Amino acid sequence: MSGAAEIKDRIRAEAFALGFDSAGFAAATPDPRLRERLELFLGEGQHGDMGWLEANADRRADPQILWPDALTVLSLGLNYGPAEDPLPLLDQRERGVISVYAQGRDYHDVVKKKLKALGGWIHRSFKTELKVFVDTAPVMEKPLAMRAGIGWQGKHTNLVSRDWGSWLFLGEIYLAIALPPDEPERDRCGSCRSCLDICPTAAFPAPYRLDARRCISYLTIEHKGPIPREMRPLIGNRIYGCDDCLAVCPWNKFAAVGREAALAPWPELNGPALASLLGFDDAGFRAAFSGSPIKRIGRDRFLRNVLVALGNSADPALARDVEPLLDDASPLVRGAAVWALARLLGPGGLGRLASARADDPEAEVREEWQAGLQAA
């Protein structure tokens, strides 16, 4: 086998040839500080109802618990930088804002295909066993990427790169060969707190700490039930994820537009008219979002998000598009429709629609009617 330094050079060159934009190496050893941070996050319940984080905590903190043969972690980054600043669209309240990462094909599919291609080449070239992971596996991607020199975890807890700013998808290959680690990246945030100050829901209780329960990405993607009433006005027109803390980072002055064709944004997902998104049945939703990460939250949660955004539009004319959803089969959708109409029409306008609907069989929907009729 070639020398360790030559192996690293050859692997890195192949990674770049396959389209990755960053590649670094770290030892597959546990990080006690990471375990402490994870335990604090979970202990304070800041993961919300993401129970899978708690269930796999040990495997997240130690790569060798996940795979005992792992000796080296190859961390890889794929740039998905947007062509335009996503923040101005937040002012167009009749249009929905979808996080940059979700405007094209599901990155899990794209990154995993590249990881498998690179993994196959490494296996053939160096006769070593390996495992490939995207973020569906219990892997602490961002701390590993920092240890591998790709970037550092900013005060918003996301990865920041000197070369690509905030816009990197991450993937890992665990290798059963020992290779010398790269120099870890150091924290370069300095005194900047732009990402903390821009957060519309104050989701950062302190620098480098995130309370997912207040994060718009969590609320619109991971959270399964009704979005808490006090959070809804703060969501604005964001219907899938949030890019505020990423987009405002000063290190984005070094960012470049993503060059991976498979991740190119779909035009119909760049600020779609909110009212145009209300007509989906389940089959239509799945067909429209086939290949998109949006598909995984399902039709009901997606319409919940759209209805919250419509309620924040301040355009009473949009009420006519919302009204048919009062009779939707999903209580999650019905409840969001009640809230949206209460915001758009006020208690008086909502009262004219109440009739028998206010006696909904679902307790949560009845509560929405009561709250809307009393003080919309």
Side-chain angles (χ1 to χ4, degrees):
M1 185 181 287
S2 307
E6 182 184 348
I7 291 174
K8 285 178 59 178
D9 289 343
R10 290 177 62 190
I11 291 175
R12 207 184 314 260
E14 184 65 17
F16 293 155
L18 287 169
F20 286 108
D21 296 294
S22 297
F25 297 82
T29 53
D31 183 341
R33 293 169 301 176
L34 175 59
R35 185 184 294 274
E36 290 173 7
R37 287 174 55 192
L38 181 58
E39 289 176 351
L40 176 64
F41 177 73
L42 295 172
E44 294 185 350
Q46 293 178 342
H47 58 303
D49 55 14
M50 294 185 288
W52 43 269
L53 277 173
E54 192 169 6
N56 296 305
D58 288 343
R59 291 196 292 171
R60 290 181 183 277
D62 186 346
Q64 291 183 334
I65 292 178
L66 181 59
W67 187 43
D69 292 337
L71 296 175
T72 301
V73 176
L74 169 58
S75 182
L76 297 142
L78 182 62
N79 172 44
Y80 69 101
E84 301 174 350
D85 181 356
L87 295 179
L89 194 57
L90 295 171
D91 295 327
Q92 300 183 43
R93 293 194 287 181
E94 79 287 354
R95 298 172 65 187
V97 176
I98 294 170
S99 184
V100 169
Y101 90 86
Q103 290 182 22
R105 185 165 183 80
D106 193 335
Y107 76 93
H108 296 92
D109 300 333
V110 178
V111 173
K112 196 159 193 176
K113 183 177 179 180
K114 290 181 180 295
L115 288 173
K116 287 184 174 180
L118 179 58
W121 180 87
I122 293 171
H123 178 72
R124 292 190 301 273
S125 300
F126 306 110
K127 306 298 185 284
T128 181
E129 296 303 311
L130 51 85
K131 302 282 186 183
V132 303
F133 301 103
V134 195
D135 71 357
T136 51
V139 175
M140 296 294 278
E141 295 189 304
K142 290 174 281 189
L144 284 170
M146 185 170 182
R147 287 169 58 187
I150 286 181
W152 69 95
Q153 275 193 275
K155 293 177 181 177
H156 52 13
T157 75
N158 292 297
L159 196 77
V160 184
S161 162
R162 283 189 288 169
D163 298 318
W164 308 105
S166 297
W167 314 106
L168 276 181
F169 291 132
L170 297 175
E172 297 75 37
I173 300 180
Y174 284 18
L175 302 170
I177 52 174
L179 296 174
D182 289 327
E183 186 71 22
E185 180 60 283
R186 65 179 179 85
D187 187 328
R188 299 175 185 272
C189 288
S191 61
C192 178
R193 51 176 294 122
S194 296
C195 60
L196 308 180
D197 293 338
I198 199 174
C199 180
T201 58
F204 302 105
Y208 308 103
R209 291 183 60 194
L210 170 69
D211 186 343
R213 297 167 298 184
R214 298 189 63 86
C215 175
I216 291 175
S217 288
Y218 165 81
L219 291 169
T220 58
I221 300 173
E222 300 294 342
H223 184 60
K224 296 179 175 61
I227 293 171
R229 289 193 191 97
E230 68 274 15
M231 305 300 294
R232 296 173 196 172
L234 306 177
I235 287 175
N237 59 341
R238 301 168 186 85
I239 59 173
Y240 190 93
C242 178
D243 289 320
D244 292 29
C245 64
L246 300 178
V248 77
C249 179
W251 283 94
N252 286 336
K253 64 185 176 183
F254 299 111
V257 177
R259 59 192 175 93
E260 174 54 57
L263 294 172
W266 301 347
E268 63 269 27
L269 297 185
N270 181 20
L274 290 167
S276 72
L277 301 173
L278 292 177
F280 290 120
D281 60 12
D282 188 61
F285 172 82
R286 287 186 282 110
F289 294 101
S290 177
S292 163
I294 297 173
K295 180 182 176 182
R296 81 177 181 89
I297 69 170
R299 176 257 187 193
D300 295 349
R301 269 192 277 173
F302 182 72
L303 288 190
R304 172 201 64 186
N305 298 344
V306 173
L307 288 163
V308 167
L310 280 163
N312 291 327
S313 70
D315 184 358
L318 293 172
R320 65 177 179 270
D321 298 297
V322 175
E323 186 176 344
L325 279 301
L326 290 174
D327 299 312
D328 194 82
S330 165
L332 183 64
V333 174
R334 293 199 303 276
V338 174
W339 184 85
L341 288 167
R343 295 268 292 182
L344 295 172
L345 301 177
L350 186 65
R352 291 191 295 272
L353 300 172
S355 64
R357 292 191 184 102
D359 191 26
D360 195 280
E362 188 72 26
E364 288 180 344
V365 183
R366 291 198 302 273
E367 290 175 7
E368 293 290 355
W369 279 105
Q370 291 166 6
L373 292 170
Q374 288 170 4

